[in-house]
Amino acid sequence: MRAYYFDNEPTDQRLPHDYDPSRPVDVETLGKIGVLYWKVPVEGYLPEIDAIAAKRNYKNRDTINVTKEGLGDQYEAKIKSFFEEHMHEDEEIRYILSGSGYFDVREHPKDQWVRIAVAPGDLLVLPAGIYHRFTLDTENKIQALRLFKDEPKWTPLNRSSETDGNTHRIDYRGYHI
């Protein structure tokens, strides 16, 4: 995992979008905005993932393949929807099994994008209420284990004045100021 401030240049979203020189963001700063991170080697990962899941009450899981082959006719629409700025009313938990991509999160209260480059072995937890988005990198493929506290669901709430008033967003802002 490597995190840094996103340069906001209007080019391909799959490019690194890093400043030159880079403006890195450390794990401690991510923690202040509620983003949690673990490095869990993919080989033999199951016992450690199971332990983290038990400790954090993640009861369900599934695997997603974000590739043209894995998503078929839905590929373009899914890639577009993943990159729309949104929040969830639940944590978003992803453990990267193969491939790579980027999670962009809004640093609160500055509202700047922080880009988090993820690769195999990275476990990322985004808190409920944080504005974020996801994109593949130029390799165009990622396989991730998704963990859930309850039944698997992925309901994005795109950023708007309505989501700004969502109780999960308000709770997030109140906690991460």
Side-chain angles (χ1 to χ4, degrees), residues 71-118:
L71 295 174
D73 293 342
Q74 297 179 6
Y75 176 78
E76 293 297 332
K78 286 289 188 188
I79 293 299
K80 184 177 179 183
S81 73
F82 293 161
F83 201 64
E84 291 288 323
E85 184 174 2
H86 63 277
M87 59 160 267
H88 302 284
E89 293 181 341
D90 301 304
E91 290 180 336
E92 181 165 328
I93 308 101
R94 300 293 182 267
Y95 174 65
I96 310 307
L97 295 165
S98 65
S100 50
Y102 301 109
F103 283 91
D104 297 336
V105 296
R106 286 286 188 184
E107 181 184 32
H108 185 74
K110 297 177 189 176
D111 214 32
Q112 294 178 319
W113 282 117
V114 173
R115 176 151 275 194
I116 304 168
V118 292

